[in-house]
């Protein structure tokens, strides 16, 4: 999944659950994406951080949040 596709998934999930914060949206999306996506997201996040190991689910959620914040750009 590309970063742009991930951002679209976050936006769609947010529309379905407007009362959740960004971390809760990311957790929901990671759970919904399934084990293969969790592994992909976690490995991309750990590579970005230069780490070899970490908690898979937490690293996957962090990746989703990192992508959203990066693509959103600086806050005004």
């Amino acid at each position: 999944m590309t970063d742009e596709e991930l951002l679209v998934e976050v936006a769609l999930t947010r529309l379905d659950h407007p009362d959740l914060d960004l971390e809760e949206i990311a957790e929901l999306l990671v759970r919904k994406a399934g084990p293969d996506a969790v592994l992909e997201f976690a490995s991309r996040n750990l590579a970005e951080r230069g780490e070899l190991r970490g908690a898979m689910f937490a690293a996957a959620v962090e990746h989703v949040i990192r992508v959203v914040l990066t693509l959103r750009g600086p806050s005004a």
Side-chain angles (χ1 to χ4, degrees), residues 2-76:
T2 66
D3 289 352
E4 290 78 13
E5 291 169 330
L6 184 57
L7 189 60
V8 168
E9 288 295 323
V10 168
L12 292 174
T13 303
R14 180 124 192 163
L15 285 173
D16 290 340
H17 306 280
D19 54 320
L20 300 179
D21 66 21
L22 179 57
E23 185 170 352
E24 293 168 322
I25 294 289
E27 290 172 358
L28 187 62
L29 189 140
V30 168
R31 280 190 192 98
K32 186 170 71 170
D36 291 338
V38 172
L39 182 59
E40 176 191 347
F41 296 161
S43 63
R44 287 167 58 184
N45 187 51
L46 293 173
E48 179 74 25
R49 291 180 7 196
E51 296 180 10
L52 297 176
R53 51 181 11 191
M56 191 166 47
F57 186 80
V61 169
E62 184 179 323
H63 173 72
V64 172
I65 294 171
R66 182 188 308 268
V67 167
V68 169
L69 296 177
T70 300
L71 292 179
R72 184 174 70 180
S75 58

